[in-house]
Structures are given as structure tokens and as C-alpha cells.
């Protein structure tokens, strides 16, 4: 596609990454329109701020006209979406999100960060370090990062850093997104079965990462965590003229709740913690080494990295209490996050609350994957809403199903948020940490009012 001003229409503009791409293209001078049947915050406010919020919610076929240069189709739309059907009837060019990103970066060096967990943090670290040293680069990342206004940037920069999701590209294209980017440098942080609604077996899920590794071109680079068995097995297979580079958790020490990297006998304080993040950090460093950032530059910049939004984000911090919220929802993420907080504060009790919210986590055939994942908690709590299960048209699950699947005898299970909050109010919060894990919101829990709600 050329760089002259174009007419671009978004079907499902309210998506977390879709609205960011819409804003990025609007700022480049393109004429951008969009539709959606429901738009939530922060998408709504950000679209309104940039004069891109649709006047009404819903699908409007009159917005689909012959003079549109590109239609970008979001995953929230369905295959029978009336705007999509009209665009197909008119023969308009229809892109999935990853297809469009590739079109805009076809002449750039493309770095794609893949993996079942850690990819947002790795991508965020790379972006932070490059910005710290004033590098010219584009990006696409799945979370907000301090210092960046949007989650997508498309300019004339020679390189783009992309968080590569294994989920489907669009409602009409079942190709995993990360295969659409055609990476020059690829990273696999680890592979742990997820998205049972799309990949009904672990074998089918793992196959997608095989395809990603196989897509590394001649002369390309494949970086992988040597501490992940499945990812290592995939990435160490012989591929002609592909350089495979392993990484593992950075050498470190913890003192008084602060993690220090050990480098050349120096202690470098960082704001991240947990073995999984020390792996993520070293993975990012390996990528940065390949694109021109040396170790001294990396260690200078990493000290100011505060983490991506909702990744061990501090809600409240006092002398003897820290409250975190984290995006952890898949089994591998729950295990890594709970252990990270417990190891960082070994002398504090850890109260861990996990909301089962995703299709996979509420699927009766998948829940057993959570066995022992909350063993790092002194008090382990799981919350789910039966209405959400019904809305996703899944088999009903019971508290007993969840207890049996987690294989933790002292696990507490709640299906009413008010009851869960009532229990939390009964606890004494001296010398404790509270960790709230969910890709949702615990049914509208006001995190800012949490200490008030718990009488802390």
C-alpha cells in the first residue's frame, strides 16, 4: 500500500488493539471510520479524543462504499457481519489486523515476540530500551506502556517490534496472527496449551509454534527460553541457515524486597521481579543485542522500566502490605505469578485471588490444567461467575469441579463477588500481600477503592 492518504474502515473498531491501530492511522493523515456493536473503556474515551468514536453503536452497511481503500476486520466481528458481507460483495480489500501491520512494514526488519506467556513484557522491555536510547522504531504491543501514547505506531522507521499472538487472525482467517508478520527475528518465550476453543488439543496448539519456528527465513534468528521444555524442543530442531539463540533467567539476588541483576560483579536494581520476568528480561536483551543495543546500554535502560500495564501492577503499597493486579489467567501464568510474589516476599503471607474468566479457564475439559498452580499462595481463592459460563455457552461447572481440578485441599471457591469480598474483609492484613489475577475485572471490582472496601 502506498503512503498517500487513504480511506480506511474498521469493522469492530473498539477492540483493544484495533482502536490503537485506528488512532495511529488517523494520526498519519488517513481518513478513518469504524463501527462496533459495543465499545468499552478505555477504547471509548480514546476514540472520542481522536474524533473516531462512531456516532452510534451497531453495524451500518451504508458506511461500506466503493471508495474505501482498505477494510480492517477485527476478531470481535462474526462471519455474517453485515458490513463484512457488503465489503465482500463490493470486492473491497479486506485485511486482518496482522495482515495490515505486515503490509505497512513489508520493507522493515520485523521482530516478532511469540509465546504462551511473557510476550507482552518482553516486547515492552525492548520498546523501553530502544526509546531510552532514542532509536527510531515502530511497534505493536498488547498492553499500555509508560512513555508510549498508543499501543501501535507506524512511521517510516526501519524496524518494527511486534507482539505476536497465536490466536486467529480474523473471523474469516484461521491462521495464527504471528504467522502473518513474516519475522526476520523471532522469539519463543515458552509454550503452554491455551485457547482450547481454537486448539482443542495440546498437540494442535504446539503445532502452531512449530510453524512459527519453521517460518524463520534463511539468515534469520530464532531466540528461545532454554528453561521451557516444549519451546526448546521446537526451536532447537535443525533449520537451514537459521541461528538459534537460547536464554535463561538472569543471574540475580533479592534483598529487602528488591531484585538486583548481577552483571560484572555489579548489582543493578530493577523494578521487575520473579523468575519468569528474569527470563523475559534476558530474552529481551538477546533480541536487543541482535539489533544494535550492547549490554552496557541495556543495563543502563532497564533500571527505569516499570513494567507493562496490568503485569504485577501495584495498586497499593505500604510497609507491610502490597496489593497487585496481574493479567495472569492461563495456568502457566498463574503458577509463575504466584511464585514470583511469594519468592519476592518470603516472610509475608500471600493471598492469591484468581478469576476464571476466559473461554479456556471456564471450560470443564481444560480446568484440570490448573492443578497445583496456586500452591505458592498461603490463602488461595478462585472466583467465577456462573452467568459468564452460560454466556459463553459452556457446560456448567461447580465449586467442587474447580476444587478437584486445582488439586488444592484448602482452596476457597466463590461464585459471588460480594461473598468473596466479605471473606477478604475478615482477614488481618498485617504482613500480607494480596494478588488479584484476571483478564477480566472480577465483575466490575473497583481496584482504586479496594483498600476502603477491605477496611485496610
Amino acid at each position: 500500500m502506498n503512503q498517500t492518504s487513504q480511506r480506511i474502515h474498521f469493522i469492530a473498531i473498539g477492540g483493544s488493539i484495533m482502536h490503537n491501530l485506528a488512532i495511529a492511522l488517523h494520526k498519519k493523515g488517513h481518513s478513518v471510520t469504524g463501527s462496533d456493536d459495543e465499545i468499552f473503556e478505555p477504547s471509548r474515551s480514546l476514540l472520542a479524543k481522536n474524533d473516531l468514536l462512531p456516532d452510534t453503536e451497531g453495524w451500518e452497511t451504508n458506511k461500506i462504499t466503493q471508495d474505501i481503500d482498505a477494510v480492517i476486520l477485527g476478531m470481535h466481528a462474526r462471519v455474517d457481519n453485515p458490513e463484512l458481507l457488503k465489503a465482500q460483495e463490493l470486492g473491497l480489500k479486506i485485511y486482518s489486523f496482522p495482515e495490515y501491520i505486515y503490509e505497512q512494514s513489508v520493507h522493515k526488519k520485523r521482530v516478532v515476540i511469540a509465546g504462551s506467556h511473557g510476550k507482552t513484557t518482553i516486547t515492552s522491555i525492548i520498546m523501553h530500551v530502544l526509546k531510552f536510547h532514542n532509536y527510531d522504531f515502530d511497534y505493536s504491543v498488547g498492553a499500555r506502556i509508560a512513555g508510549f501514547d498508543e499501543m501501535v505506531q507506524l512511521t517510516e522507521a526501519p524496524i518494527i517490534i511486534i507482539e505476536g499472538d497465536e490466536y486467529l487472525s480474523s473471523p474469516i482467517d484461521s491462521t495464527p496472527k504471528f504467522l502473518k508478520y513474516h519475522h526476520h527475528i523471532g522469539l519463543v518465550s515458552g509454550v503452554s496449551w491455551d485457547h482450547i476453543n481454537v486448539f482443542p488439543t495440546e498437540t494442535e496448539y504446539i503445532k502452531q509454534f512449530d510453524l512459527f519456528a519453521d517460518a524463520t527465513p534463511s539468515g534469520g534468528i530464532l531466540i528461545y527460553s532454554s528453561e521451557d521444555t516444549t519451546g526448546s524442543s521446537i526451536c532447537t530442531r535443525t533449520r537451514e541457515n537459521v541461528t538459534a539463540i537460547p536464554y535463561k533467567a538472569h543471574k540475580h539476588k533479592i534483598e529487602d524486597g528488591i531484585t538486583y541483576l548481577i552483571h560484572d560483579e555489579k548489582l543493578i536494581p530493577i523494578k521487575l521481579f520473579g523468575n519468569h520476568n528474569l527470563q523475559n528480561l534476558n530474552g529481551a536483551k538477546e533480541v536487543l543485542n541482535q539489533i544494535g543495543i550492547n549490554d552496557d546500554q541495556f543495563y543502563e535502560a532497564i533500571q527505569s522500566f516499570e513494567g507493562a500495564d496490568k503485569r504485577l501492577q501495584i495498586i497499593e503499597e505500604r510497609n507491610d502490605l502490597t496489593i497487585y493486579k496481574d493479567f495472569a489467567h492461563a495456568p502457566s501464568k498463574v503458577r509463575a505469578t504466584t511464585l514470583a510474589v511469594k519468592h519476592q516476599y518470603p516472610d509475608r503471607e500471600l493471598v492469591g485471588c484468581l478469576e476464571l474468566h476466559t473461554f479456556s479457564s471456564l471450560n470443564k475439559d481444560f480446568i484440570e490444567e490448573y492443578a497445583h498452580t496456586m500452591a505458592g499462595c498461603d490463602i488461595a481463592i478462585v472466583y467465577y461467575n456462573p452467568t459468564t459460563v452460560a454466556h459463553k455457552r459452556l457446560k456448567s461447572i461447580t465449586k467442587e469441579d474447580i476444587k478437584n481440578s486445582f488439586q488444592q485441599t484448602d482452596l476457597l471457591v466463590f461464585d459471588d463477588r460480594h461473598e468473596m469480598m466479605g471473606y477478604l474483609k475478615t482477614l488481618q492484613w498485617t504482613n500480607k500481600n494480596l494478588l488479584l489475577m484476571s483478564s477480566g475485572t472480577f465483575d466490575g471490582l473497583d481496584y482504586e477503592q479496594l483498600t476502603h472496601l477491605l477496611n485496610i
Side-chain angles (χ1 to χ4, degrees):
M1 296 179 66
N2 60 49
Q3 298 303 311
T4 58
S5 179
Q6 296 187 326
R7 275 210 63 201
I8 302 169
H9 182 76
F10 283 75
I11 301 177
I13 196 171
S16 62
I17 196 71
M18 288 282 281
H19 82 274
N20 276 277
L21 176 58
I23 292 169
L25 295 176
H26 172 70
K27 289 184 174 180
K28 284 187 72 174
H30 296 295
S31 175
V32 175
T33 57
S35 300
D36 212 321
D37 59 353
E38 53 183 359
I39 302 177
F40 301 107
E41 295 295 351
S43 303
R44 174 173 290 276
S45 294
L46 290 168
L47 287 169
K49 179 181 176 182
N50 288 276
D51 295 322
L52 295 176
L53 184 67
D55 293 333
T56 59
E57 290 188 349
W59 313 111
E60 301 180 52
T61 56
N62 62 351
K63 291 184 176 180
I64 308 301
T65 55
Q66 195 70 59
D67 61 341
I68 291 176
D69 296 293
V71 172
I72 303 179
L73 177 64
M75 274 301 301
H76 176 64
R78 298 183 183 274
V79 293
D80 60 353
N81 181 282
E83 292 187 12
L84 170 61
L85 294 176
K86 185 171 181 182
Q88 291 171 324
E89 180 185 333
L90 292 177
L92 300 180
K93 180 61 180 176
I94 301 169
Y95 294 90
S96 63
F97 174 86
E99 284 176 323
Y100 192 84
I101 293 293
Y102 173 72
E103 285 288 326
Q104 294 293 302
S105 59
V106 67
H107 298 301
K108 305 177 189 291
K109 176 177 281 190
R110 294 177 298 282
V111 178
V112 179
I113 310 303
S116 306
H117 42 255
K119 54 186 176 286
T120 301
T121 298
I122 295 171
T123 307
S124 302
I125 292 172
I126 294 168
M127 290 168 54
H128 173 83
V129 173
L130 290 175
K131 183 174 183 179
F132 186 95
H133 291 292
N134 298 312
Y135 269 62
D136 186 19
F137 68 100
D138 285 341
Y139 55 85
S140 172
V141 64
R144 300 204 168 276
I145 307 168
F148 293 86
D149 293 332
E150 277 90 38
M151 294 154 61
V152 179
Q153 176 172 285
L154 295 170
T155 65
E156 302 306 310
I159 188 170
I160 185 168
I161 313 300
I162 303 170
E163 178 182 348
D165 190 354
E166 67 272 23
Y167 204 71
L168 307 184
S169 293
S170 83
I172 58 174
D173 186 348
S174 61
T175 307
K177 291 176 185 175
F178 59 28
L179 295 181
K180 294 289 189 178
Y181 298 122
H182 305 289
H183 62 274
H184 300 103
I185 299 174
L187 180 146
V188 178
S189 63
V191 181
S192 181
W193 186 26
D194 198 3
H195 305 309
I196 190 175
N197 54 321
V198 176
F199 309 110
T201 67
E202 186 174 14
T203 299
E204 187 66 20
Y205 181 78
I206 291 172
K207 179 183 175 183
Q208 312 312 312
F209 290 88
D210 271 316
L211 294 173
F212 177 79
D214 289 343
T216 308
S218 178
I221 295 169
L222 189 59
I223 298 169
Y224 65 96
S225 169
S226 62
E227 296 179 277
D228 182 85
T229 303
T230 305
S232 293
S233 175
I234 290 169
C235 295
T236 53
R237 291 174 193 161
T238 301
R239 294 176 175 86
E240 188 173 355
N241 201 24
V242 170
T243 301
I245 301 174
Y247 66 89
K248 59 184 179 181
H250 199 291
K251 189 177 180 182
H252 67 285
K253 67 184 297 186
I254 302 171
E255 288 185 355
D256 299 324
I258 298 174
T259 295
Y260 295 86
L261 303 180
I262 301 174
H263 173 63
D264 288 343
E265 299 183 356
K266 297 177 182 176
L267 295 181
I268 301 165
I270 58 171
K271 298 175 183 179
L272 293 176
F273 65 86
N275 190 72
H276 66 304
N277 277 328
L278 291 160
Q279 289 181 32
N280 294 336
L281 182 147
N282 250 359
K285 184 166 78 68
E286 290 293 347
V287 171
L288 288 159
N289 286 165
Q290 297 302 318
I291 56 180
I293 294 289
N294 63 39
D295 285 355
D296 287 341
Q297 291 174 307
F298 176 80
Y299 290 116
E300 180 187 9
I302 194 61
Q303 298 175 62
S304 56
F305 178 69
E306 296 182 353
D309 186 42
K310 298 179 184 177
R311 271 66 179 180
L312 281 175
Q313 182 178 344
I314 294 176
I315 302 300
E316 178 76 19
E317 187 170 28
R318 301 180 185 178
N319 290 334
D320 57 357
L321 168 69
T322 305
I323 300 176
Y324 295 96
K325 70 174 177 179
D326 193 270
F327 195 67
H329 54 86
S332 60
K333 298 176 184 178
V334 174
R335 180 183 293 106
T337 301
T338 52
L339 289 176
V341 178
K342 188 61 181 176
H343 289 163
Q344 192 74 1
Y345 300 93
D347 298 326
R348 292 188 190 178
E349 279 192 289
L350 174 58
V351 180
C353 298
L354 168 66
E355 179 185 19
L356 301 181
H357 179 74
T358 65
F359 187 99
S360 294
S361 68
L362 291 169
N363 191 302
K364 203 168 186 176
D365 297 326
F366 186 82
I367 297 178
E368 63 185 23
E369 298 293 320
Y370 285 90
H372 310 297
T373 55
M374 296 186 74
C377 301
D378 298 286
I379 299 175
I381 297 169
V382 170
Y383 169 74
Y384 78 107
N385 187 334
T387 302
T388 304
V389 179
H391 178 73
K392 295 180 184 292
R393 299 178 182 177
L394 292 166
K395 296 177 185 176
S396 62
I397 53 176
T398 66
K399 294 179 181 180
E400 201 62 31
D401 291 331
I402 294 170
K403 286 183 179 180
N404 291 337
S405 296
F406 276 74
Q407 295 184 32
Q408 189 164 340
T409 56
D410 58 351
L411 184 74
L412 300 172
V413 182
F414 294 92
D415 60 8
D416 183 302
R417 178 168 63 86
H418 299 291
E419 288 184 10
M420 182 186 75
M421 294 302 294
Y423 170 77
L424 291 175
K425 280 184 181 181
T426 69
L427 299 178
Q428 297 297 317
W429 288 98
T430 303
N431 204 36
K432 280 187 174 69
N433 285 333
L434 174 60
L435 171 61
L436 297 158
M437 298 172 286
S438 179
S439 60
T441 65
F442 285 91
D443 288 324
L445 178 63
D446 187 342
Y447 291 97
E448 300 303 319
Q449 294 294 316
L450 194 57
T451 55
H452 172 71
L453 293 172
L454 296 179
N455 298 324
I456 298 176

